[in-house]
Amino acid sequence: MRTHPAWANATRLDLPGRVVAPALVNAHTHLDLTHIGPRPFGDGGFSAWIDMVRSGRLVEDDAIAESTRQGVAMLHKGGTVAVGDIVGTVNGAPSLAPVRVLDGAGVLGTAFLEFFALSEDGSPGVDLALERAGDIQPQTIGLGLQPHAPYSASPRAYRRARERGLPMCTHLAESMAERQVVAEGAGPMRDMLAGWGLWTDGVAALFGQGRSPVRHLADYLECLLVVHLNDLSDADIELLANAGSRVAYCPRSSAYFGADAVFGPHRYRDLLAAGVPVALGTDSVINLPQNSVDTRGICVLDEARLLLERDGTEPGVLLEMLYAHGPAAVGLPSGAFRMDAGAELAGLIAVEAGDADQARGLVASVGPISFL
Ligand SMILES: [Zn+2]
């Protein structure tokens, strides 16, 4: 600090019992769902949950913008300055209202325009998303594309999106229903798609070849930020490592959907050991506990604390997930999130330490977060 040109005029702050750290990066969330608020995961399973989100999704740009503004306030409450935000689709094409809110709102990172494109060639979903991406040039936040998931976007939709050269994100290997529909062309996800009139012969031909969701997208892994990965075999991990994929893991989302009861413990430590960078995200506010939202809004430190307490993961590993892999996942230099001499930090936060050790004190903290 003494080498900084502003040192001579610096004001000294005494923050006893607090740990000071760089501001946070949330690698995966859905800010335009903030108006729905935390909700329990009901008895109807994943399909009923998706119906709830679909019916709760706003359609007017003004209302979508307001929900996103609430989401930005919740990010800031959680000491967060950068995000991988998923911009939802309305009437077949992503609304640009969230991008306009994020641009210049003190939030860095990437806004991924989400689309659904299950037809064999991806039309019209991918065409509409590409058109929207061409309609806007945000200044302070980057633009990306998100084919929703392998059960809602065809492989050719991924290929056509990749041709645009924007950063790309997708939900992958999240549920047993996803595994069933991809590998066997069967199960509740197939029934849900059939109920929406989307299960045509062409769509059926995309699936049922015994592949895992990760293998199903093997040709696109190199350009994807893949989100969730609850369902992972050793072969899947090898595919991800060889492709150079980046991962966003949302621990409380996986726990909320009971993924560990189906697939066993999440394999984020195996991914890290294989050299795959794993960042932390929260997913939407819907799957977060009300009390943590009340205290810290939408906050990845609460995700890190779950891994510390549940898995005994070393604080140093968690800091690397937060401050090295997090920025990289959303297209930012990690130097803006490291307290090195001469660093141009994206932000600085303080929180009451949860332990005398500084690294553990940060990830074990539970109290409100303030910006310095
Ligand atoms: Zn998501």
Side-chain angles (χ1 to χ4, degrees), residues 196 248 260:
W196 295 337
D260 53 348

Side-chain angles (χ1 to χ4, degrees), residues 28-30 86 114 146 171 227-228 250 283-284:
H28 183 78
T29 188
H30 300 251
I86 307 308
E114 184 170 69
Q146 161 149 307
H171 298 116
V227 184
H228 296 311
C250 308
D283 225 349
S284 78

